[in-house]
Amino acid sequence: HNIPNKAVVSTQSTGDGEMKRRVDAEKALKKAERAIKESAFNAEEDHKTIQRQQGTIDMGNNKIKSLKRQLDEAETQIQQLNSKLRKAQNEAAEAEERADMAESSLSRASNRNRTATARLGRSDYVPRNARTRGGDEEEE
């Protein structure tokens, strides 16, 4: 009787071992499936994050392009304004030169006028042409 009991006990032991291994395998399978689902979820979240970041990068690049375009336009304006400034400075220098020349000319004319006025104001002054005529008449 012991032999069949041993076989039953051995079979039960083997069955219990198989059952435990099956339960352990099912637990391991569920754990692996959870890990796979979690990895898939994380991969999807990472993909969404990457898309958002790419959108942010694209907006930043567009902003940079816009700012570069504005900078180029501003530099062009600065060049134009500098050119106008140089032209105005040259014109001002030329006008100042002309004004100095006119002032000098006016000063010379004013000095001649004062000299002439001073000569006319003297009682002994006789204009040159009057002296020549007068002198000629006296000799006759």
Side-chain angles (χ1 to χ4, degrees), residues 82 84-94:
N82 279 336
K84 288 179 182 180
L85 174 63
R86 281 190 299 276
K87 181 180 177 186
Q89 287 172 333
N90 288 338
E91 290 173 354
E94 290 170 2

Side-chain angles (χ1 to χ4, degrees), residues 12 28 70 73 88 112 120 125:
Q12 269 183 345
Q70 289 175 5
E73 291 170 1
R112 280 193 305 257
L120 288 176
Y125 177 74

